[in-house]
Amino acid sequence: MKKVFSRPKSLKPTPFHYCPGCGHSIIHRLIGEVIDEMNLQEKIIGVPPAGCAVLAYNYFDIDMGEASHGRAAALATGLKRALPDRVVFTYQGDGDIAAIGTAESIHAAARGENITTIFVNNGVYGMTGGQMAPTTILGQNTTTSPRGRKESRDGFPINLSEMIAIAPGSAYIERTAVNNPANILKTKKAIAKAFRLQLQGFGFTLVEILSACPTNWKMAPIDACKWIDEVMSVHFPLGVLKDISGEKRDAH
Amino acid sequence: MRGNHVAAEAAVRAGCRYYFGYPITPQNEIPEYMSARLSEIEGGVFIQAESEIASIHMVIGASMAGGRVMTSSSGPGISLKQEGISFLCALELPAVIINMTRGGPGLGNIAPAQSDYFQATRGGGHGDYRTLVFGPNSCQELANLTYEGFNLADKYRIPVVILGDGMLGQMMEPVELPPEIPLKKLPPKDWTLTGAKGRPSRFLRSLILDPIKEEEHNWKLMRKYEKIVREEVRWETAYADDAKMMVIAFGIAARIAKGAIKRLREEGIKVGLLRPITLWPFPSKAIRDLAKKVKHFFVFEMNMGQMVEDVKLALEGNGEVHFYGRPGGVILTPLEIARVISSQYYQKRLG
């Protein structure tokens, strides 16, 4: 019988620890497929963050160096400047990149660091048990925004990708989601494009991925996917926010 | 050469090709020198980071990639770097960190002080760890210890802290610089992240969720620290042979104290000096051995009394310790400290 579907070789045969319905497993797989297809396994270095994806090095069969909370972009800067011909990417959650690591992320983009950031936005601090994140939308319930996020008490959410898109050093910023097959394919194309532009030396690239956290959203996985379409993506619109490559939109 | 320039040039000669930092007085000449020097060298990288926190994590990245890497700062900036220093220790990454200490706490001032002794020798950040800490007292020693610091950092996979102060950074002295090491001559590292080409993939991480494994990691670090304690302690003594009282001081304070002791010796006052060169590991055994013939110890520091605790721990009660300190960036003259020492000497009826 012909094998038509298997684990990417840049993923280890370790079962994911992620909750049912979590987007991390899908995103890990997409990155693994892109690494295989672009033949990057021997020249890529990943930087996992503090957060649910902190154990990413147990799953990826590539070199990985763990960063402390929020500092992935700075650590990746040091790696990439020392090894400019390798592909370096960070894998960060919303709290990591848009709260504690805001300065590191914005300045890496401003310097035009030739690295790629995979920014997984699920609107909560997942690993610590579902506290309010910088990307928690107004009205959203979390363990530290009981009865919904209120601007008077909690302030407004941050659209970090839009902020990074206005930095002259950023090259390609796209927001995607992994809540349905079409969006999953678009996400894979966006990751591949970001790595490709890094190889071509364009500068800072970032793919923000809206990803479900059914456990902390307290929703069934299918409802969580719908919520991304109906609520979350209204506040965080999907699409290309910046692209200086000159490539056609669909030329993935 | 100015102390800050000496440290920077010695680092480059030791093979340092990566420098990440942030401006703060009194160490600005280090990033300034590195920005010019590293841009002249192929593969040299200088980044003025957005913060001390970012710069220490850039250090982590370059160290993971296998490079010889340095950062420098002063008091408040070193406080910000503590997060990264804890990670460097947990990840067992080599790096050299220079602290040209200023008066504190808080913003304090920009005058020379030794108030960061606790922070440097006790780890400073979270978790059980140690860093190798040098306390140079001249531009020549600053050059030598910075240079050697890179070798020791690589040998033990540990961050090395050079604990200077504003005076050491700013003063100018003639220096014989060590020779430039060709990068090819540096020993290879078999743990770096370079892309898994022709070998299994690697990861470097400090998260160890299983308490038994985390405990084992701590023991592994501890065994390394014990080896450093056995093999790397450095100190020097002066006028010790017939001394009835020993002054213990480090860095610039030791140099001032030495001037005072010369003066006192001319008056027939039998005082000697012990100067710890490594502040961690501390020369405890040397002090304990001294206590077999000397019972009076005079600790002088440019702080409120920090190293004096290590002296007392070393003596384990086998000696009387008197402390004199001037915090806040005040620099004593040898004459002033000589007066305090001689007053103590006569009070104890040693002469």
Side-chain angles (χ1 to χ4, degrees), chain A residues 12 41-46 54-55 57-58 60-69 71 73-79 81-83 86 100 103-105 107-108 111 113 127, chain B residues 18 20 43 45-51 53-55 57-62 64-65 67 83 87 91 192-207 209:
Chain A
K12 294 173 184 167
Q41 194 180 8
E42 295 190 334
K43 66 178 298 186
I44 196 162
I45 306 167
V54 67
L55 297 170
Y57 47 75
N58 285 342
F60 284 98
D61 195 4
I62 59 170
D63 274 11
M64 294 199 108
E66 178 192 275
S68 62
H69 197 26
R71 318 299 176 214
L75 198 156
T77 296
L79 271 171
R81 292 287 188 115
L83 300 164
R86 311 302 200 283
I100 197 164
E104 284 79 1
S105 308
H107 282 270
R111 285 191 304 269
E113 293 297 340
M127 197 194 209
Chain B
Y18 309 102
F20 308 100
V45 172
F46 166 88
I47 296 181
Q48 182 173 320
E50 64 273 22
S51 70
I53 302 172
S55 66
H57 287 86
M58 291 174 189
V59 166
I60 293 176
M64 282 178 169
E83 173 189 307
F87 275 74
L91 294 159
T192 56
L193 303 181
T194 52
K197 189 165 187 178
R199 58 161 172 80
S201 63
R202 294 178 184 142
F203 57 79
L204 292 169
R205 56 95 163 84
S206 63
L207 180 84
L209 288 171

Side-chain angles (χ1 to χ4, degrees), chain A residues 20-34:
Chain A
C22 170
H24 278 304
S25 318
I26 300 168
I27 298 163
H28 280 20
R29 186 185 165 91
L30 295 180
I31 295 170
E33 287 177 3
V34 171

Side-chain angles (χ1 to χ4, degrees), chain B residues 262-340:
Chain B
K262 261 185 207 163
R263 191 180 289 267
L264 293 167
R265 282 277 168 177
E266 283 164 16
E267 296 169 20
I269 295 175
K270 290 182 175 169
V271 181
L273 174 73
L274 184 142
R275 177 173 75 90
I277 297 170
T278 50
L279 305 179
W280 194 89
F282 193 70
S284 304
K285 189 175 175 300
I287 292 172
R288 211 155 35 238
D289 289 347
L290 266 178
K292 285 173 190 158
K293 45 179 196 165
V294 184
K295 290 297 164 200
H296 295 278
F297 294 85
F298 184 104
V299 178
F300 168 50
E301 298 177 70
M302 286 154 68
N303 59 39
M304 297 283 279
Q306 300 192 12
M307 182 186 68
V308 64
E309 293 191 1
D310 283 336
V311 173
K312 286 180 178 170
L313 281 170
L315 285 170
E316 292 176 339
N318 294 310
E320 203 176 309
V321 180
H322 181 79
F323 173 73
Y324 185 76
R326 290 300 295 272
V330 173
I331 308 162
L332 249 69
T333 64
L335 177 64
E336 288 168 310
I337 189 70
R339 282 184 186 144
V340 187

Side-chain angles (χ1 to χ4, degrees), chain A residues 172 174 186 189-190 192-194 196-197 200 240 243 245-252:
Chain A
Y172 168 64
E174 178 161 358
K186 274 187 196 164
K189 285 178 178 173
K193 180 165 180 174
R196 197 169 63 244
L197 295 188
Q200 292 167 8
V240 176
D243 183 359
S245 70
E247 290 181 9
K248 280 188 200 159
R249 279 292 153 88
D250 295 319
H252 283 301

Side-chain angles (χ1 to χ4, degrees), chain A residues 79-151:
Chain A
L79 271 171
K80 180 75 179 189
R81 292 287 188 115
L83 300 164
D85 61 344
R86 311 302 200 283
V87 175
V88 175
F89 74 98
T90 71
Y91 188 105
Q92 300 177 260
D94 38 63
D96 196 74
I97 197 173
I100 197 164
T102 316
E104 284 79 1
S105 308
I106 286 181
H107 282 270
R111 285 191 304 269
E113 293 297 340
N114 196 24
I115 58 175
T116 299
T117 287
I118 308 298
F119 163 20
V120 180
N121 181 359
N122 62 15
V124 285
Y125 282 82
M127 197 194 209
T128 47
Q131 294 82 10
M132 180 178 65
T135 52
T136 297
I137 60 174
L138 290 178
Q140 187 179 345
N141 279 312
T142 71
T143 59
T144 50
S145 60
R147 289 180 294 282
R149 181 177 192 149
K150 288 188 192 73
E151 64 270 35

